[in-house]
Amino acid sequence: MATIIDGKLISEQIQNEIAIEVQSIAEQGGKIPHLAAILVGSDGASETYVGAKVKACEKIGFESTLIRLPESTTEEDLIRKIGELNNDPGIDGYIVQLPLPKHINEQKIIEAVDPKKDVDGFHPQSVGRMALNLPTYLPATPYGIIQLLERYNIETSGKHCVVIGRSNIVGSPMSILMARNAAPGNCTVTLTHSRTKNLKEFTLKADILIVALGKAEFLTADMVKDGVVVIDVGITRLPSDKTKSGYKLFGDVKYDEVAAKASFITPVPGGVGPMTIASLLMNTLKASKKEVYR
Ligand code: GUN
């Protein structure tokens, strides 16, 4: 039976570690890390995510600023606001919560963020530095997965890692990170996606499977070999009559049957999801300590 990778626990541990460090920074009269977030409009899910980020900052002793802008904000206005944050020495790092209203070009906004403050790791310079194995801010989900592999002492060197999904925020960066000459890393990586033929031929050969395609219970037991390490990045909310809330969260992995064959597996919820906030806080601490750019 698989070891369950407890992302909630690891995220709490990381947040406790950061809280201790912030306290010692405060005692020495150093600068308290300060994260800002820009939220444009009032998308329900975005409100929840940003709220959780601000709450986490308070809990660990960071300063935080939430900048709410109306749905009608123009691209120009948003870029002006970003310029202010870029030039504000009090703000160590910030995020522009995505998605943005349709009239705003997301890529343009991502590129307006000063890479020194890009704690989301979305700027092309951050992505390029990641690919070159230079100091940078890693995007939240990939950074969280790397932390899980590290803290569970999962051997990656020389292993065959198969990634399903090539999104800019998960699949593509994970394929880069797992192939890097680093620990965790040093995998032989296969990046699969919607055009991949005979996917099962690849998944059956995987020592480590990172599943990030966004299809509930897609990966089944017949697709994996015994002893596989499974990282499930999927999160799909489906109606259910078995829960009080009337819905249930599903990962991309048919959990019970795959867990029976796996050596390690992340559950949904409670696996990769809770790690994203820890990643953002780690990046903000790095920004405030000028660990990435000196
Ligand atoms: N929307 C969903 N996830 C994220 C994230 O990690 N960062 C930002 N800025 N927006 C998001």
Side-chain angles (χ1 to χ4, degrees):
M1 199 56 194
T3 298
I4 297 168
I5 298 177
D6 190 340
K8 192 164 177 281
L9 178 76
I10 300 292
S11 178
E12 282 165 10
Q13 280 176 2
I14 290 172
Q15 293 181 51
N16 287 335
E17 290 165 16
I18 299 175
I20 289 167
E21 191 165 344
V22 175
Q23 189 165 6
S24 114
I25 290 170
E27 280 163 12
Q28 290 163 34
K31 184 187 177 304
I32 301 298
H34 189 162
L35 174 72
I38 302 180
L39 177 60
V40 185
S42 51
D43 175 68
S46 291
E47 292 264 4
T48 307
Y49 293 144
V50 171
K53 290 167 187 176
V54 169
K55 217 171 116 191
C57 282
E58 282 170 12
K59 206 174 103 199
I60 64 165
F62 281 8
E63 287 178 27
S64 65
T65 300
L66 174 56
I67 298 154
R68 288 174 170 279
L69 298 174
E71 177 85 17
S72 58
T73 303
T74 64
E75 193 174 279
E76 233 184 3
D77 285 344
L78 181 53
I79 287 178
R80 196 171 309 120
K81 192 75 215 171
I82 286 173
E84 283 173 31
L85 294 181
N86 285 345
N87 292 316
D88 182 343
I91 304 288
D92 297 297
Y94 67 94
I95 64 164
V96 182
Q97 187 66 25
L98 305 177
L100 290 168
K102 279 192 206 54
H103 62 274
I104 298 176
N105 181 332
E106 261 179 23
Q107 194 57 33
K108 214 163 152 183
I109 296 307
I110 287 170
E111 293 186 31
V113 174
D114 181 343
K116 292 187 177 62
K117 298 191 175 187
D118 179 33
V119 288
D120 253 335
F122 290 166
H123 191 285
Q125 180 171 311
S126 302
V127 181
R129 290 178 65 94
M130 171 183 69
L132 295 169
N133 208 358
L134 295 169
T136 189
Y137 303 108
L138 298 181
T141 304
Y143 195 12
I145 293 170
I146 293 293
Q147 287 296 315
L148 290 176
L149 294 169
E150 194 172 317
R151 287 172 182 250
Y152 274 83
N153 286 311
I154 294 168
E155 182 60 72
T156 60
S157 181
K159 304 289 185 186
H160 184 195
C161 175
V162 174
V163 180
I164 309 179
R166 58 177 157 188
S167 72
N168 288 346
I169 56 169
V170 186
S172 169
M174 273 325 294
S175 71
I176 293 169
L177 291 168
M178 296 303 279
R180 295 200 304 188
N181 185 358
N186 282 313
C187 283
T188 303
V189 174
T190 303
L191 178 56
T192 69
H193 46 74
S194 54
R195 303 290 178 92
T196 298
K197 290 185 176 135
N198 305 317
L199 178 67
K200 190 173 163 182
E201 284 179 21
F202 295 102
T203 58
L204 275 171
K205 292 201 174 110
D207 301 310
I208 301 169
L209 256 170
I210 298 171
V211 194
L213 77 163
K215 278 192 186 163
E217 300 191 321
F218 174 82
L219 189 87
T220 47
D222 59 299
M223 298 171 77
V224 304
K225 69 178 183 188
D226 282 319
V228 65
V229 174
V230 178
I231 306 293
D232 185 353
V233 190
I235 183 154
T236 307
R237 206 171 121 152
L238 294 175
S240 164
D241 50 23
K242 293 201 179 72
T243 62
K244 253 191 277 172
S245 59
Y247 68 85
K248 189 171 183 287
L249 295 177
F250 291 88
D252 288 351
V253 175
K254 201 151 194 187
Y255 183 82
D256 289 342
E257 61 177 59
V258 174
K261 291 178 88 175
S263 57
F264 292 89
I265 190 165
T266 61
V268 175
V272 173
M275 292 299 295
T276 58
I277 285 203
S279 302
L280 179 64
L281 300 172
M282 285 190 289
N283 278 340
T284 305
L285 182 63
K286 281 187 182 185
S288 112
K289 291 164 75 181
K290 311 252 184 291
E291 274 180 12
V292 174
Y293 298 92
R294 301 200 165 268

